Amino acid sequence: MEIKVMHQIMEWNEDVSEQVKAELAEHHICLINVMGSPGAGKTSLIVRLIEAMRSRWRIGVIEGDIAGQIDAEKIDAMGIPVVQLDTDGACHIEAESIRHILPHFDLDALDILFVENIGNLVCPAEFNIGESFRLALLSIPEGDDKVPKYPLMFSTSDAIIMNKYDMLPYFDFDDGRVERDAKGVNPNAAVFRVSPRTGQGLDELLPWLEARIEAARQS
Amino acid sequence: MEIKVMHQIMEWNEDVSEQVKAELAEHHICLINVMGSPGAGKTSLIVRLIEAMRSRWRIGVIEGDIAGQIDAEKIDAMGIPVVQLDTDGACHIEAESIRHILPHFDLDALDILFVENIGNLVCPAEFNIGESFRLALLSIPEGDDKVPKYPLMFSTSDAIIMNKYDMLPYFDFDDGRVERDAKGVNPNAAVFRVSPRTGQGLDELLPWLEARIEAARQS
């Protein structure tokens, strides 16, 4: 019975994600689904990317959290339009929630919408929320064995970002292994090594992101 | 519809968890449900606890993973009975899986059964797997804001363990804040600061654990 219902929900989610995609396309907005474990540095990376890209693009953020609004407050303090999505215990975001939230933004005044998904390497990967593309974060302290352990997350993402890369000297983390594992499950994924704290690796990530954003906004 | 089905599954899970509890009680086995994010150090802590306690207790492990058996191989290499539970994509363990696995152990030759749950701060907290008690791990690199963000995990656990505590100097992590937040949502929880790598904090955690294990085995 569980499997049957899951299937129904997924089909329903696909319909809604197509509606979200259509609405975003009408306004030439690129939606970036940012996923990773609790504490992988999702908010810190989004903050860094906003700083680097806000002179060129008009950016908004949807902050998904199970409870509280700590992250939304950080984005709001930057003067960036942000909506808090409180999932009230749920472990992922679905397209239906995005559909309800979109009218709270001035869509004609946005080029990019970041969605910070719930901190979770499992469930968010199952749900298309109408995104243009997906970023999967794996932070150095989490360990280098995570790609084979959470294959759906890394196989469905467009870029795999080794985050908090400045922490590499303090952990037993083989970044070559992660890159090999990532390419193994997802040969088309881009792989980056980034530190939001030091800025390391942004010079590689940003051009890739900007090309993807331009392509998404024109599609 | 989703909520209704969830409710049915939970009721069903409660029935099964009572069956698991009864079977464990018959054999005087304490089941410890170990939960935390991907990379929080669940396996490393279990390995350390086995090393510290194996002369006194007979220990078995159920290693929950979405895919692969990296962790089970580590436990097996220690000569400890271990069963790999591959959830095949599912984000948590349910009591029904534990019920199916128990016959694979020689239950008369066990005092403690560790269950390493799926790396996930959300879904595992919703499911009673027949445990005697729960340990919730929060590793220092994940950040000190996680208790209010994942309240169910920390409010339903018997001990909250700040893991990888030796990493404190390298991160902006206020352990006093975590302890206050933890006591706020869960006044009865024990709070520990532990490093499986250096052994720091085991002198406090072990006596607490052993008292809980003794009580569980006699109940």
Side-chain angles (χ1 to χ4, degrees):
Chain A
M1 185 160 184
E2 193 185 7
I3 290 167
K4 181 158 167 264
V5 174
M6 197 65 192
H7 188 58
Q8 289 172 338
I9 293 171
M10 298 288 266
E11 281 178 357
W12 170 77
N13 186 73
E14 287 304 312
D15 286 349
V16 179
S17 70
E18 288 303 319
Q19 291 175 35
V20 170
K21 265 184 187 299
E23 185 162 5
L24 294 170
E26 197 178 306
H27 297 275
H28 305 288
I29 296 172
C30 171
L31 190 153
I32 307 175
N33 186 355
V34 182
M35 301 186 284
S37 295
K42 295 181 291 301
T43 314
S44 301
L45 182 64
I46 290 171
V47 165
R48 262 289 187 174
L49 295 175
I50 290 171
E51 287 168 354
M53 301 198 300
R54 67 187 298 173
S55 62
R56 179 173 180 194
W57 311 102
R58 299 166 301 168
I59 304 173
V61 178
I62 296 175
E63 274 295 340
D65 277 302
I66 288 167
Q69 50 187 39
I70 293 170
D71 295 337
E73 286 163 5
K74 286 183 198 159
I75 305 295
D76 183 62
M78 302 176 76
I80 293 288
V82 59
V83 172
Q84 171 78 37
L85 167 56
D86 186 337
T87 68
D88 198 22
C91 54
H92 62 275
I93 294 175
E94 292 182 30
E96 180 67 11
S97 295
I98 305 298
R99 192 171 73 81
H100 278 287
I101 286 175
L102 287 184
H104 293 277
F105 288 97
D106 176 1
L107 297 179
D108 288 323
L110 277 190
D111 303 315
I112 302 170
L113 188 55
F114 283 105
V115 176
E116 179 174 342
N117 217 310
I118 302 302
N120 185 332
L121 274 188
V122 192
C123 318
E126 296 174 18
F127 292 88
N128 183 333
I129 58 171
E131 65 261 12
S132 307
F133 58 90
R134 294 180 169 195
L135 308 180
L137 274 59
L138 170 62
S139 64
I140 300 303
E142 291 172 63
D144 58 14
D145 59 350
K146 295 299 171 290
V147 173
K149 283 174 142 180
Y150 301 90
L152 190 66
M153 174 61 70
F154 296 102
S155 65
T156 63
S157 290
D158 299 274
I160 295 166
I161 298 174
M162 287 184 246
N163 208 28
K164 304 188 188 178
Y165 194 69
D166 57 310
M167 287 294 155
L168 194 67
Y170 307 110
F171 291 88
D172 181 21
F173 187 102
D174 178 351
D175 54 334
R177 172 187 175 182
V178 170
E179 179 148 15
R180 285 191 300 277
D181 287 348
K183 294 288 188 188
V185 298
N186 191 351
N188 297 320
V191 177
F192 298 100
R193 294 156 169 82
V194 172
S195 166
R197 197 162 68 95
T198 67
Q200 184 182 0
L202 287 176
D203 54 333
E204 292 190 17
L205 175 59
L206 280 168
W208 180 90
L209 262 185
E210 300 206 328
R212 291 298 300 249
I213 291 164
E214 282 190 21
R217 293 192 61 234
Q218 282 159 18
S219 69
Chain B
M1 184 163 185
E2 194 185 5
I3 290 169
K4 181 158 169 267
V5 174
M6 197 64 191
H7 187 59
Q8 288 173 339
I9 292 171
M10 297 288 267
E11 281 178 356
W12 170 77
N13 186 74
E14 287 304 312
D15 286 349
V16 179
S17 70
E18 288 303 319
Q19 290 174 36
V20 170
K21 265 184 187 299
E23 185 162 5
L24 294 170
E26 197 179 308
H27 297 275
H28 305 289
I29 295 171
C30 172
L31 190 153
I32 306 176
N33 186 356
V34 181
M35 300 186 285
S37 294
K42 296 181 290 301
T43 313
S44 302
L45 182 64
I46 290 171
V47 165
R48 262 288 187 173
L49 294 176
I50 290 171
E51 288 168 353
M53 301 196 300
R54 68 186 298 175
S55 63
R56 179 173 179 194
W57 311 101
R58 298 166 302 169
I59 304 174
V61 178
I62 295 175
E63 274 294 341
D65 276 302
I66 289 169
Q69 49 187 40
I70 294 170
D71 295 337
E73 286 164 5
K74 285 183 199 159
I75 304 295
D76 182 62
M78 301 176 76
I80 292 289
V82 60
V83 172
Q84 172 77 36
L85 167 56
D86 186 336
T87 67
D88 197 23
C91 55
H92 62 275
I93 295 175
E94 293 182 30
E96 180 66 10
S97 294
I98 304 298
R99 192 172 73 83
H100 278 287
I101 287 175
L102 287 184
H104 294 277
F105 288 96
D106 176 1
L107 297 180
D108 287 323
L110 277 190
D111 302 315
I112 302 171
L113 188 56
F114 283 105
V115 177
E116 179 174 343
N117 217 309
I118 302 302
N120 185 333
L121 274 188
V122 191
C123 318
E126 296 174 17
F127 293 88
N128 183 333
I129 58 171
E131 66 261 12
S132 308
F133 58 90
R134 295 181 167 193
L135 308 181
L137 273 59
L138 169 62
S139 64
I140 300 303
E142 291 172 63
D144 58 13
D145 59 350
K146 295 299 171 291
V147 173
K149 284 174 141 180
Y150 301 90
L152 189 66
M153 174 61 70
F154 296 102
S155 65
T156 63
S157 290
D158 299 274
I160 295 166
I161 297 174
M162 287 183 248
N163 207 27
K164 305 189 188 178
Y165 194 70
D166 56 311
M167 287 294 156
L168 194 67
Y170 307 110
F171 291 87
D172 182 21
F173 187 102
D174 178 351
D175 56 332
R177 173 187 173 182
V178 169
E179 179 147 16
R180 285 190 302 277
D181 286 348
K183 294 288 188 187
V185 297
N186 191 351
N188 297 321
V191 177
F192 298 101
R193 295 157 169 83
V194 172
S195 166
R197 196 162 67 95
T198 67
Q200 182 181 1
L202 286 176
D203 53 334
E204 292 189 16
L205 175 59
L206 281 169
W208 180 91
L209 262 184
E210 301 207 326
R212 291 297 301 248
I213 292 164
E214 282 189 20
R217 294 191 60 234
Q218 282 159 17
S219 70

